[in-house]
Amino acid sequence: MTASASASGDIPAEDAPPTGALYSFGTPWPEFNEGISYTDTFRCTGATTTLVEFYSTSYKSSAPLPGEGSKLVYHRLPWQEPFAPHLLDVLYEDDDMIALNKPSGLQVLPKGLFQQRTVLAQLQLKDWKMPSSFCSKRKYVQSHPVPVHRLGRGTSGLLLCAKTKLAKAQLAAYFAEGATNAGKSRDETDFCKSRKILKFYRALVTGILENDEVMITQPIGLVRYPGVAEGLYAACSSGKPAMSKVCVLERLENHNQTLIQVEIHSGRPHQIRIHLSYIGHPLVDDQNHSSSATNPTDSRGTARYS
């Protein structure tokens, strides 16, 4: 399939897509985003609470804005988001879904400083050509391009996206099935056979893993952390079930590093980083893991990510 230049942001045909890609698309980011609005309901609890205190507590990273009434809307002015790549390579496409090669540095969904420079925004900017059979008023078959799962902003790799609401619901159910089964005690062979979607990652970790295979079942959840209002995801007994299977591909003795393959049976936030840090082998150059991560029994050794 050859891409042609168009308003949808497809790259010119003379700019050949990377090997293995059907085509590439993407619209360059504007210098500033459109800003964002936060809507809240303000209720007086009897305590002395000012609007400044309310917003300072709710949005610590933003300037408070006085207002009146019970419904408050805080309009944050447009800002220049940090650099993020905008081109996406399409590896597979049919009437229901798209498989993208997400580049490192691009966030999947809006959050924090990245409200516009996301995969979701590029999917919505592109003019998807739906089959004539889909030209229906039924909502579940209308064009609705959205990512079905997430990859960390710094992670590159395969990202599945649905084209319609019906496809999104079905694919999301497959991913949810893996997360649900991760908390059940069952034979690993049966567990893998029952899953319709498998997720594999390659990573380079510090230290030399002794065992060829390691199964990590440490729960992951949000914990309180000073200075972080929303808390941090970490390995904790009160968290949600999580399962990662680590297989050694190559031991790099001279560099004290190990190349591994990680199969995640669930999809908790920062699961791979947290699980690898938990067993004492954090990702190479991972600046967010604790220096005490080499001791899995030490609660300080859990990975810390917002």
Side-chain angles (χ1 to χ4, degrees), residues 172-184 191 195 199 240-243 264-268 271:
Y174 292 156
F175 278 101
E177 181 182 40
T180 300
N181 290 334
K184 299 178 181 179
F191 178 79
R195 295 161 61 207
K199 294 177 286 185
K240 294 182 179 180
M243 182 186 298
I264 59 173
H265 296 202
S266 51
R268 306 304 176 198
Q271 177 172 323

Side-chain angles (χ1 to χ4, degrees), residues 191-243:
F191 178 79
C192 292
K193 287 182 179 179
S194 67
R195 295 161 61 207
K196 297 180 176 63
I197 294 180
L198 305 178
K199 294 177 286 185
F200 297 90
Y201 299 78
R202 286 195 175 184
L204 191 63
V205 300
T206 58
I208 305 298
L209 272 73
E210 295 182 2
N211 299 324
D212 291 338
E213 291 188 3
V214 179
M215 184 67 74
I216 310 171
T217 57
Q218 172 65 35
I220 294 174
L222 273 173
V223 297
R224 292 184 177 181
Y225 190 74
V228 182
E230 297 179 356
L232 298 172
Y233 284 99
C236 60
S237 58
S238 61
K240 294 182 179 180
M243 182 186 298

Side-chain angles (χ1 to χ4, degrees), residues 12-72:
E14 58 267 20
D15 296 334
T19 303
L22 299 177
Y23 65 95
S24 299
F25 72 93
T27 301
W29 307 117
E31 183 177 1
F32 294 93
N33 61 23
E34 298 177 354
I36 189 172
S37 296
Y38 303 95
T39 302
D40 299 281
T41 300
F42 180 77
R43 295 184 177 88
C44 182
T45 60
T48 302
T49 303
T50 66
L51 293 180
V52 171
E53 291 172 341
F54 175 79
Y55 277 114
S56 296
T57 301
S58 301
Y59 309 109
K60 292 185 177 181
S61 62
S62 303
L65 178 68
E68 296 180 358
S70 60
K71 185 177 181 181
L72 309 177

Side-chain angles (χ1 to χ4, degrees), residues 75-86:
H75 299 283
R76 182 176 179 181
L77 297 176
W79 70 91
Q80 187 175 36
E81 299 183 9
F83 170 82
H86 69 274

Side-chain angles (χ1 to χ4, degrees), residues 15 101 179 285 289:
D15 296 334
N101 182 19
D285 294 332
H289 75 275

Side-chain angles (χ1 to χ4, degrees), residues 143-161:
S143 178
H144 184 70
V146 292
V148 181
H149 62 111
R150 303 187 191 192
L151 292 178
R153 183 163 59 90
T155 303
S156 62
L158 196 65
L159 181 71
L160 294 184
C161 303

